Amino acid sequence: MTIPESHLAEARAWRHDFHRHPELGFQETRTSGLIAGLLEGWGLRVQRGIARTGVIGTLGDGSGPRLGIRADIDALPITEETGLPHASVHPGVMHACGHDGHAATLLLAARLAAEAFAQGEGRGTVHFIFQPAEENDGGARVMVEEGLFDRAPCDRIFALHNWPGLAPGQVVAAPGPMMAAFAAWDITLRGRGGHAAMPHLAEGVISAAMALGLALHELPARRIDPLDPAVLTVTQLHAGTAWNVSPESAVLSGTARWFSDRAGDLLEENLRRLARSIAESQGCTAEVDYQRRYPATINTPDAAALVAQAARDAGLSPVPGGPSMASEDFAYMLQDRPGSLGGAYLWLGAARAGENPGLHSPRFDFDDALLGQGAALWLALIRRAGG
């Protein structure tokens, strides 16, 4: 379809405004207020305040088929380095993952769908779901716990993410596993400290930390079936305050990723075992805080096929790809969907010529060219799904 340039220009303005005023998870009051106001202005029925700052806009009378489309709206605790005119005005907070673009894309789709419904071209029900706190805080889980699918019953539900690893115009929606499950963990090692010149009078907190870090990185290769994907990464190590002091404590932190329940259990069991045994070997103790955050994102094959059909309708190119060991809390919406038709998570190609800083970089900026592509895909999906 051809989207009017005036609509695209407004979508760019929304996106730049969101980017200029980023808000962290569960704090997106300004963002959600603007979204709700726009949706109401186009005649959608709007529900506010689910998961604190979530918004749902609905077209249709509640009858089937019932389609849900979700966009995340939160930013990251990163200091922006793009130097763009629409750069963040909030130090230490920026849209480094493209959620500003996801929200603007879904708003554009909602506006175009509202115009189609007003002209009698839509049927069924479409819920446009704007979700807070995707980054680490599990906003999707909170929305589900607070009755998302009671407030907005969905037979199928979909979401997209811009993907710098794909060429522009390409779309990936793998049948089955798409994004990995995710756990965050902290290990605190404790032992007697002392003078660096007298190591025999102190316990080996630093030795334990170094040995444990290496052992954890080897764990998936030695304890998990190589045909069962699993990743364990140490991302932080905090210990000591001076050159000549052996510290009394050290903290290692990181993440674990997996798809199968078996791999997830083995990662946790072996992390706890290694922490305990390596700490004891150096005369130390280990405290483990292991939190399973997100389940794996599993696409329903029929829903993934529907995305491919809609992509072709929108002039885009469905290509094989996935899964990724990155994680996504949209998994909760797929896992807890009330119907049996399922849903799918998809990637929309966002690679640029030249420098491509990638997601979560302080130099990342969403490509505005994706706004029209994403909205066209959503509209094609609405038509394909019968909405």
Side-chain angles (χ1 to χ4, degrees), residues 249-266:
S249 66
V251 178
L252 292 87
S253 302
T255 65
R257 317 273 176 162
W258 67 92
F259 287 103
S260 74
D261 291 340
R262 176 63 174 161
D265 291 343
L266 286 172

Side-chain angles (χ1 to χ4, degrees), residues 158 173-176 299-312 318 343-344 381 384:
F158 297 86
N299 288 346
T300 305
D302 287 351
L306 191 65
V307 169
Q309 295 168 346
R312 294 187 188 95
L381 189 66
R384 280 277 178 180

